[in-house]
């Protein structure tokens, strides 16, 4: 049913200014700006789709997409324009092009989850998270590249090629939602969807200089998404502006009204340096502390907090849950969607050595070192203690959020799949990059990454805010305030 949706009220003068600034480059428009201009009759969806499609084709070497359908997107844009000409709008995203990670079902597109065994699987209907966006008028440009089966943080995908950081194509895009991060940063789309199990939205957001939200667990439906672990998995929006994150979150979760920037004056932000600032790259630490100084200068209180036992609690939950549930949940998924393979059959075709090693060594039935059921049960029993530690930290210190560098270091070189350099020393790539994003993931709380600047080498860095369970919209309000404070990064 077509309807006139609740929409963001923007003065016509501001709309015209945005349009004038974008005349030469429509690819710079945010999703909210594009939606408003389309609704005001100042922009045709077809023109925007053409501009973005040209950019996708021009920058195809960045490896952002697994599937891209120019003609289907243009057809959908013309249909959106025909409705707009009659002043009929599907919803707040009418005619706005977005991208979707290739493990989130979109009818009409293959859903490979970045792995050869699933490359011909075409879902018959949208995942609920994608369906909400489509019903609100969004146009799906294509399905984005990802770390194979979402089991990693580099998106160095041996089956479909690596996603390359647009600020330095020799560097990783982060993962596992690396393709979505690249597409948005490289101006191939204003916004889109990733998924996050231990950092897979926030890590590529940080490394590509954009913003990303991991919502409170179960805030978004998990249906129609190739799984790792139901105790940890969630889809999450990614965009160049926090306003766009709020827009997509509102559409998906049904949030009422818009989000206004929070007042930083008197806002209490917690910092737990013993864990989240441990072993940081020197430049990352310097830039993060400078960002916190800016927040303090704007009137916020940055307070030191203690979270005793955080590392131990997280370690007891993290891998036992993911590695045990991966086999069970993937098997259920394959059966539910009529895919004529079992977990072993999927694993047999995995191309990326790091992912193949994990599946064959731990996950497939009959693996050499499977995760014991006892360890999984112990992890589930420990998880409430981790959640309570976070709840107590927020409540006792009266803080709205915890702040820390999203990643301990900037983007590593492509090929550093097992080890990378940190302050001149070899460190394991995967556990190092998820160090700071993992605990909040296991606690199921919301996490927001916003860009704070670029290193001397030009590589983006992000600051993460983790908030209490259910505080997603408040976290976005703080993010809006920080975005004004730090500014947005220029295009690559």
């Amino acid at each position: 049913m077509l309807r006139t949706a609740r929409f963001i009220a923007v003065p016509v003068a501001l709309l015209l200014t945005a349009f004038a600034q974008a005349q030469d480059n429509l690819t710079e428009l945010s999703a909210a700006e594009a939606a408003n201009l389309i609704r005001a009759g100042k922009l045709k969806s077809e023109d925007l789709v053409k501009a973005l499609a040209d950019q996708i084709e021009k920058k195809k070497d960045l490896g952002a997409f697994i599937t891209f359908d120019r003609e289907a997107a243009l057809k959908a844009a013309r249909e959106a324009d025909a409705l707009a000409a009659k002043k009929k709008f599907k919803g707040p995203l009418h005619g706005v092009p977005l991208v979707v990670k290739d493990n989130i079902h979109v009818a009409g597109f293959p859903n490979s989850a970045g792995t050869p065994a699933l490359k011909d699987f075409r879902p018959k209907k949208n995942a609920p998270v994608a369906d909400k966006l489509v019903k609100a008028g969004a146009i799906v440009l294509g399905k984005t590249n990802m770390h194979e089966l979402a089991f990693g943080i580099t998106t160095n995908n041996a089956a479909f090629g690596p996603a390359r950081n647009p600020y330095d194509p020799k560097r990783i895009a982060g993962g596992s939602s690396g393709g979505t991060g690249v597409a948005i940063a490289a101006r191939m789309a204003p916004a889109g969807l990733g998924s996050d199990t231990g950092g897979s939205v926030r890590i590529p957001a940080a490394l590509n200089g954009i913003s990303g939200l991991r919502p409170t667990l179960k805030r978004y439906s998990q249906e129609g998404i190739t799984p790792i672990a139901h105790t940890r998995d969630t889809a999450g929006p990614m965009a160049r502006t926090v306003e766009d994150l709020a827009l997509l979150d509102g559409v998906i979760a049904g949030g009422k009204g818009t989000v206004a920037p929070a007042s930083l004056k008197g806002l209490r932000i917690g910092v737990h340096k013993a864990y989240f600032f441990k072993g940081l790259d020197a430049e990352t630490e310097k830039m993060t502390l400078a960002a916190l100084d800016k927040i303090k200068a704007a009137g916020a209180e940055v307070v030191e907090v203690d979270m005793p036992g955080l590392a131990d609690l997280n370690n007891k939950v993290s891998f036992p849950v993911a590695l045990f549930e991966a086999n069970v949940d993937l098997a259920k998924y394959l059966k539910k969607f009529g895919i004529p393979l079992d977990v072993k059959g999927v694993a047999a075709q995995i191309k990326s050595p790091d992912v193949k090693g994990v599946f064959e060594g731990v996950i497939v039935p009959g693996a050499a070192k499977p995760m014991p059921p006892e360890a999984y049960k112990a992890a589930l029993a420990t998880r409430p203690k981790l959640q309570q530690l976070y709840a107590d930290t927020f409540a006792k210190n009266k803080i709205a959020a915890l702040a820390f560098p999203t990643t301990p270091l900037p983007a590593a070189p492509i090929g550093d799949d097992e080890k990378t350099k940190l302050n001149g020393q070899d460190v394991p790539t995967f556990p190092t990059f998820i160090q700071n994003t993992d605990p909040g993931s296991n606690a199921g709380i919301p996490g927001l990454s916003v860009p704070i600047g670029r290193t001397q080498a030009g590589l983006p860095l992000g600051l993460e805010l983790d908030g209490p369970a259910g505080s997603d919209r408040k976290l976005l309000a703080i993010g809006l305030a920080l975005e004004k404070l730090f500014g947005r990064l220029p295009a690559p």
Side-chain angles (χ1 to χ4, degrees):
M1 180 185 293
L2 298 177
R3 56 189 170 80
T4 301
R6 180 191 296 270
F7 207 69
I8 302 168
V10 177
V12 174
L14 287 181
L15 283 176
L16 294 176
T17 300
F19 186 58
Q21 290 172 343
Q23 283 276 26
D24 295 329
N25 194 356
L26 294 176
T27 63
E28 287 291 341
L29 286 173
S30 71
E33 288 167 346
N36 280 311
L37 288 166
I38 290 167
R39 185 166 288 254
K42 302 295 180 184
L43 173 65
K44 287 190 179 298
S45 175
E46 184 178 1
D47 290 337
L48 179 56
V49 168
K50 279 181 180 176
L52 294 169
D54 287 348
Q55 185 83 328
I56 291 167
E57 288 163 0
K58 179 183 173 184
K59 297 191 174 184
K60 64 182 179 182
D61 289 348
L62 291 176
F65 287 84
I66 289 178
T67 307
F68 164 58
D69 192 334
R70 182 186 182 107
E71 291 310 312
L74 286 170
K75 182 175 181 287
R78 292 184 197 110
E79 291 170 357
D81 288 335
L83 289 172
K86 299 174 185 176
K87 300 296 181 187
K88 292 180 179 178
F89 303 94
K90 287 186 176 181
L93 291 169
H94 188 90
V96 177
L98 301 175
V99 294
V100 177
K101 185 178 180 180
D102 204 28
N103 63 344
I104 300 172
H105 294 187
V106 178
F109 286 92
N111 192 85
S112 75
T115 200
L118 302 179
K119 64 182 172 56
D120 296 323
F121 167 51
R122 286 182 177 263
K124 294 178 181 177
K125 61 181 187 176
N126 299 328
V129 288
D131 201 51
K132 293 277 185 76
L133 300 179
V134 171
K135 284 180 176 172
I139 294 167
V140 177
L141 286 170
K143 303 294 293 297
T144 52
N145 200 358
M146 56 183 284
H147 205 103
E148 196 163 353
L149 287 163
F151 263 84
I153 56 81
T154 67
T155 312
N156 185 18
N157 188 310
F160 296 98
R164 298 179 179 276
N165 194 305
Y167 287 91
D168 180 352
K170 293 179 181 177
R171 301 263 171 175
I172 63 169
S176 59
S177 311
T180 297
V182 172
I184 295 166
R187 275 56 178 175
M188 302 175 190
L193 285 180
S195 69
D196 192 307
T197 300
S200 289
V201 159
R202 294 156 292 161
I203 291 169
L207 300 187
N208 288 286
I210 64 171
S211 295
L213 172 71
R214 177 194 165 90
T216 299
L217 192 72
K218 302 296 174 70
R219 179 175 170 83
Y220 297 178
S221 170
Q222 294 177 323
E223 180 72 20
I225 303 175
T226 315
I228 291 180
H230 64 269
T231 301
R232 298 178 53 178
D233 291 348
T234 180
M238 301 168 70
R240 290 193 301 274
T241 73
V242 178
E243 179 187 25
D244 280 359
L245 295 184
L247 176 58
L248 267 62
D249 175 76
V251 168
I252 295 169
K256 294 182 179 179
T258 57
V259 176
S263 171
L264 294 179
K265 192 172 183 181
L267 188 78
R268 288 174 64 86
I269 302 289
V271 175
H272 178 43
K273 288 186 177 177
Y275 181 91
F276 294 105
F277 283 67
K278 184 179 179 181
L280 298 183
D281 158 72
E283 199 171 2
T284 300
E285 182 172 20
K286 182 180 178 182
M287 289 177 64
T288 303
L289 293 174
L292 292 173
D293 285 342
K294 273 190 180 181
I295 294 172
K296 283 192 278 189
E301 293 181 53
V302 177
V303 296
E304 295 261 3
V305 302
D306 187 27
M307 299 183 72
L310 174 63
D312 184 53
L313 288 171
N314 187 60
N315 288 339
K316 287 177 179 175
V317 175
S318 184
F319 288 111
V321 166
L323 296 177
F324 186 88
E325 290 185 354
N327 174 39
V328 177
D329 289 358
L330 183 56
K332 286 180 181 177
Y333 170 86
L334 296 170
K335 185 177 180 182
K336 178 170 185 172
F337 291 101
I339 299 168
L341 287 168
D342 58 13
V343 175
K344 273 191 174 182
V346 171
Q349 297 185 52
I350 292 172
K351 293 292 185 187
S352 304
D354 57 333
V355 182
K356 196 169 188 69
V358 172
F359 266 76
E360 292 184 347
V362 184
I363 293 172
V364 297
K369 295 182 180 179
M371 185 57 63
E374 301 77 32
Y376 174 62
K377 289 176 184 176
L380 292 185
T382 302
R383 186 168 176 261
K385 297 175 185 176
L386 177 65
Q387 293 172 311
Q388 192 61 52
L389 174 61
Y390 270 100
D392 289 346
T393 301
F394 292 124
K396 290 177 181 177
N397 295 284
K398 297 179 180 178
I399 56 172
L402 280 165
F404 49 86
T406 311
T407 58
L409 70 167
I414 291 173
D416 282 12
D417 297 314
E418 297 297 330
K419 292 182 180 180
T420 193
K421 293 287 186 185
L422 175 56
N423 294 327
Q425 302 294 317
D426 281 338
V427 293
T429 305
F430 180 74
T432 299
F433 271 96
I434 69 163
Q435 172 187 301
N436 286 356
T437 56
D438 198 46
S441 308
N442 290 311
I445 60 175
L448 170 69
S449 181
V450 296
I452 56 171
R454 291 186 291 169
T455 65
Q456 289 184 341
L459 300 173
L461 290 174
L463 181 76
E464 179 159 345
L465 296 172
D466 278 2
S471 68
D472 304 58
R473 301 296 273 182
K474 291 179 181 177
L475 210 55
L476 288 165
I478 299 170
L480 284 168
L482 295 187
E483 188 174 60
K484 285 187 174 183
L485 201 61
F486 302 138
R488 298 177 194 165
L489 295 192

